[in-house]
Amino acid sequence: MWRTPRVVPGRAPWPLGGRLATESVAVLFTDIVGSTELASNLAPDVADELRRGHFSVPRQTIAEVGGTEVKNLGDGLMMVFPVASAALRCAVLMQQGVSLDNRRRQQELIGLRVGLSGGESPSRTPITAGIPSWKRP
């Protein structure tokens, strides 16, 4: 498990001679559009079943593309990918999958928002505090 390095005056807190080893990652977030309103208009068990059914589409796409789910945000997911093109492909496929699922269901339509960010992350460490390290594909 990764721990925050202890800072000692006059000594570098990071390995590799004081430099932090990093790698590029892409982080993808999803959000169910109007989830609070949707849940308030349905019985709790129906809303929960709808949400669970919805998440099957993004989770299948994450597995197909080679990403890793880091966190369930209640009405969305946080995922990481080793390259931005995989995250972008996943975002498009998830939106297409949710659209297809909506056409099949034809009731209680679900909108899916996605957000994509990329940058450097410390190598082999959690993306955020308290979340286990993600597995490399």
Side-chain angles (χ1 to χ4, degrees), residues 9 20 31 35 43 60 67 71 83 96 114:
L20 177 63
D31 175 61
S35 62
Q60 180 181 354
K71 189 174 187 180
V83 292
Q96 290 173 345
V114 295

Side-chain angles (χ1 to χ4, degrees), residues 55-67 81 89-95 97:
F55 282 133
S56 67
V57 173
R59 286 184 171 130
Q60 180 181 354
T61 306
I62 296 164
E64 290 172 4
V65 174
F81 297 83
R89 181 170 184 257
C90 187
V92 170
L93 291 174
M94 281 192 294
Q95 288 186 320

Side-chain angles (χ1 to χ4, degrees), residues 91-107:
V92 170
L93 291 174
M94 281 192 294
Q95 288 186 320
Q96 290 173 345
V98 168
S99 178
L100 180 61
D101 193 49
N102 280 338
R103 284 195 298 269
R104 284 187 203 141
R105 191 174 43 255
Q106 296 183 351
Q107 58 184 336

Side-chain angles (χ1 to χ4, degrees), residues 28 30 32 48-81 90-91 93-95 97-98 101 112 114:
L28 182 65
T30 67
I32 297 174
D48 198 40
E49 181 62 33
L50 183 64
R51 186 182 53 78
R52 276 196 309 271
H54 160 75
F55 282 133
S56 67
V57 173
R59 286 184 171 130
Q60 180 181 354
T61 306
I62 296 164
E64 290 172 4
V65 174
T68 301
E69 181 180 334
V70 175
K71 189 174 187 180
N72 181 318
L73 305 168
D75 69 340
L77 300 172
M78 175 183 178
M79 302 141 275
V80 292
F81 297 83
C90 187
L93 291 174
M94 281 192 294
Q95 288 186 320
V98 168
D101 193 49
L112 179 70
V114 295

Side-chain angles (χ1 to χ4, degrees), residues 16 23 36 44 82 98 106 132-133 136:
L16 305 176
E23 61 188 331
T36 303
V98 168
Q106 296 183 351
S133 296
R136 296 182 185 196

